[in-house]
Amino acid sequence: MSDFQSSKRTDPRVVRTRQFIQDAFTELLRHKDFHQITISDITSKATINRATFYAHYQDKYELLDALWADGFTSFLLQRIRPDAPLTEETIRQLIHALCDYHQTLNNKCMKNYTSVAPVVEKNIKQQLESFITQLVTHGANGQDPALLKSAATSMSWSIYGVTYQWNLDGRTESPEQLAARILPIMMNGVSALNSNPQPVC
């Protein structure tokens, strides 16, 4: 990033305008389906013109990513150390964190969370996979990197999927109950990963 771009990001006027846009968008999501919201809706609510909007965001999809998906890793880091060992407790914390994340977005997007979640899903899964890759690589001496990558992918998609469905089903059980139900299944895979080191060719 150039010095100009960096200074632009921290310019109080730029920060304030982006906040106006994000606040307007968040408020619209409380009353309208994401796919029904137009750029005109956002600019009208934020009291800015279209040129100002496009100076900050390419479209409403980029805005949605900036609002929710881009901060996901920070959201995880507030709850789990990046150098934590991959243990049952760490996976429990990941499940709880994803439950909190889905619930937070659901509360912010009361009109129709199911229209928003699929849009940010790819971004969230990528960040979750990257985070879990750090965890599984920690202390995994002699393991095949491809195996570790596959394990991280499988675990990230599983955790995202079960917590998303938990939210979609109305959160009929607590995050603790969900974790207790899912952990035995996931720990079987972790145990196999730890007990079967693969030589690196």
Side-chain angles (χ1 to χ4, degrees):
M1 181 184 297
S2 68
D3 291 341
F4 173 75
Q5 289 174 315
S6 180
S7 63
K8 188 175 179 182
R9 273 186 176 275
T10 56
D11 185 317
R13 292 167 298 178
V14 173
V15 173
R16 185 168 57 250
T17 301
R18 290 175 74 90
Q19 192 61 55
F20 284 154
I21 295 171
Q22 291 183 6
D23 289 347
F25 187 50
T26 299
E27 183 60 26
L28 285 166
L29 284 168
R30 294 181 180 275
H31 306 286
K32 296 185 71 172
D33 184 283
F34 168 75
H35 297 292
Q36 295 175 338
I37 296 174
T38 65
I39 301 302
S40 294
D41 291 333
I42 299 169
T43 56
S44 176
K45 191 76 173 175
T47 62
I48 59 171
N49 58 42
R50 292 176 71 90
T52 300
F53 175 89
Y54 287 118
H56 293 272
Y57 301 104
Q58 180 178 340
D59 50 34
K60 66 179 183 179
Y61 295 91
E62 184 180 14
L63 171 56
L64 185 63
D65 268 349
L67 184 61
W68 286 333
D70 287 353
F72 180 69
T73 298
S74 297
F75 183 90
L76 287 179
L77 288 171
Q78 292 172 11
R79 293 160 173 77
I80 305 162
R81 298 192 338 266
D83 60 346
L86 186 64
T87 63
E88 181 173 335
E89 181 55 30
T90 305
I91 297 175
R92 188 191 311 276
Q93 290 172 353
L94 281 168
I95 293 171
H96 284 199
L98 265 293
C99 285
D100 287 347
Y101 185 80
H102 287 302
Q103 191 165 0
T104 297
L105 263 62
N106 190 78
N107 292 339
K108 285 185 176 181
C109 182
M110 294 184 294
K111 179 63 178 178
N112 191 357
Y113 173 57
T114 56
S115 74
V116 171
V119 179
V120 297
E121 179 178 326
K122 181 179 178 181
N123 190 324
I124 298 302
K125 282 182 176 177
Q126 287 175 340
Q127 292 183 64
L128 182 59
E129 180 180 326
S130 178
F131 188 81
I132 293 177
T133 297
Q134 292 184 59
L135 302 183
V136 300
T137 306
H138 225 31
N141 297 325
Q143 286 283 13
D144 181 356
L147 175 64
L148 297 177
K149 174 72 172 175
S150 297
T153 301
S154 175
M155 196 174 300
S156 60
W157 284 47
S158 296
I159 293 175
Y160 182 89
V162 296
T163 54
Y164 175 72
Q165 192 62 46
W166 166 84
N167 185 70
L168 202 63
D169 290 341
R171 304 185 294 279
T172 56
E173 57 185 343
S174 69
E176 292 77 13
Q177 291 171 320
L178 176 66
R181 181 163 57 83
I182 298 302
L183 270 169
I185 302 171
M186 301 203 71
M187 287 310 297
N188 283 336
V190 172
S191 298
L193 184 66
N194 290 334
S195 61
N196 294 299
Q198 298 294 321
V200 179
C201 296

